[in-house]
Amino acid sequence: MFSFCIRRLHCGGIGRTPPVSALDDAGVELIRRRLANSMANRAPHRFRYKAGASEAAVLLLLCTEKGRPCILFEERQRRLLAHGGEVCFAGGKADSEDPTLVHTALRETREELGLDPSLVRVLGRMPPVPSKNGLLRVHPVVGVVGELGGLRLNREEVHRAFALPVSHFYEGNEVAEGFRDTGLKVPVYQTDKRGLSIWGLTAYILNEFLIRVGDPANDVVVGK
C-alpha cells in the first residue's frame, strides 16, 4: 500500500485551522453556506459505478461535546460479515418507501443509533461516492444536533458510537492511501480508540467535508 505524509495534502486542502470553534448560529451558518456553495465551486470526481447501482445515504452528523464541535462516528459490530469492526457514518441503502435520500440517512440513523430525526437540522449534501464494489451510489448528508443525549444503539449492528472534535482532523499527522482505482489519495485518520482508524469510504467523505467547509472561497459562488 503506497502512503505518504498527509501534511502535503493539508497544505493544499483543509489547512491547519478548523473553520468553526463552536456550533452556534454563526458556525452552523458558515458550514451550511460553504457546503452549498461548494457544490458549484468544487467539481465532483467522476466515479465509476456498476450497472444498476442502487442508491444509499449516510449522515455526517455534527454535535457538541464538552463545548467543542465534534463529528459522530460509529464502530460496526466486529462479528458482522460486511465491514465488521470498521468505523463508519450511520446510513444504508434507500428503501422504496423513502421519499428522499435525506430521509434515508435520517431513518438509518434512527435505526442504528436511536436518534430522533426531528432533532437533526440538515445542512446540506455532498456528491455521491461508490461503495467498494461499485454497487451502491452513497450520498453523504450533513446534519447537526446540539449536545448528544443518550443514544440507543442497535447492538446487532453497532458496537459503539463516539464523537471526535473537528480540531482532531487538523493536526496533520495522517497518512494517505489510494482510494479505489481512481488515482485519488485519501487520508487515513487515527481515532482516540486504540487500534481504530478511519479509512476508505468514510475517510473520503470526511475529507471532502473538511475541504469544502474549510475553504474560505466557498463563502461565495465563484464567478458570481
Side-chain angles (χ1 to χ4, degrees):
M1 181 184 296
F2 176 75
S3 64
F4 62 95
C5 182
I6 197 65
R7 294 183 192 278
R8 296 181 184 176
L9 193 148
H10 274 255
C11 292
I14 71 171
R16 296 294 181 86
T17 304
V20 297
S21 58
L23 294 176
D24 53 12
D25 289 345
V28 169
E29 173 56 23
L30 182 146
I31 292 170
R32 186 207 63 77
R33 181 177 67 250
R34 290 186 177 179
L35 271 179
N37 292 339
S38 75
M39 295 296 283
N41 295 342
R42 181 174 172 81
H45 187 82
R46 294 186 177 182
F47 290 111
R48 295 180 180 178
Y49 296 89
K50 296 287 181 64
S54 300
E55 306 301 325
V58 298
L59 181 65
L60 188 159
L61 187 64
L62 295 154
C63 59
T64 299
E65 190 172 84
K66 298 179 180 178
R68 299 179 297 177
C70 296
I71 299 174
L72 185 67
F73 299 91
E74 62 179 58
E75 179 185 355
R76 290 173 59 81
Q77 284 288 7
R78 296 179 180 88
R79 64 175 176 268
L80 293 174
L81 296 178
H83 310 292
E86 295 182 9
V87 179
C88 64
F89 298 117
K93 190 175 178 181
D95 287 345
S96 57
E97 296 82 7
D98 291 339
T100 66
L101 289 165
V102 169
H103 184 275
T104 299
L106 295 175
R107 174 183 57 75
E108 287 283 343
T109 300
R110 180 183 58 204
E111 292 175 2
E112 294 174 19
L113 301 178
L115 183 64
D116 186 343
S118 68
L119 299 177
V120 180
R121 177 184 173 186
V122 174
L123 301 182
R125 290 171 52 177
M126 295 188 294
V129 58
S131 60
K132 188 174 182 179
N133 59 15
L135 292 175
L136 290 177
R137 187 179 290 102
V138 182
H139 298 260
V141 176
V142 178
V144 62
V145 295
E147 293 276 355
L148 278 178
L151 298 175
R152 301 185 306 278
L153 306 187
N154 178 351
R155 293 297 183 181
E156 292 298 314
E157 297 184 37
V158 182
H159 173 62
R160 59 180 164 183
F162 61 95
L164 292 175
V166 173
S167 59
H168 173 82
F169 303 106
Y170 287 80
E171 295 174 356
N173 297 318
E174 297 83 11
V175 297
E177 65 179 15
F179 182 66
R180 308 287 190 258
D181 57 353
T182 62
L184 297 174
K185 301 297 180 187
V186 175
V188 176
Y189 297 101
Q190 300 306 310
T191 73
D192 60 355
K193 307 294 185 278
R194 185 174 179 179
L196 201 61
S197 60
I198 302 168
W199 61 283
L201 176 65
T202 303
Y204 177 88
I205 293 171
L206 173 60
N207 192 57
E208 273 293 301
F209 170 77
L210 296 172
I211 290 172
R212 289 169 182 270
V213 302
D215 188 353
N218 288 326
D219 282 326
V220 297
V221 175
V222 175
K224 281 194 173 182

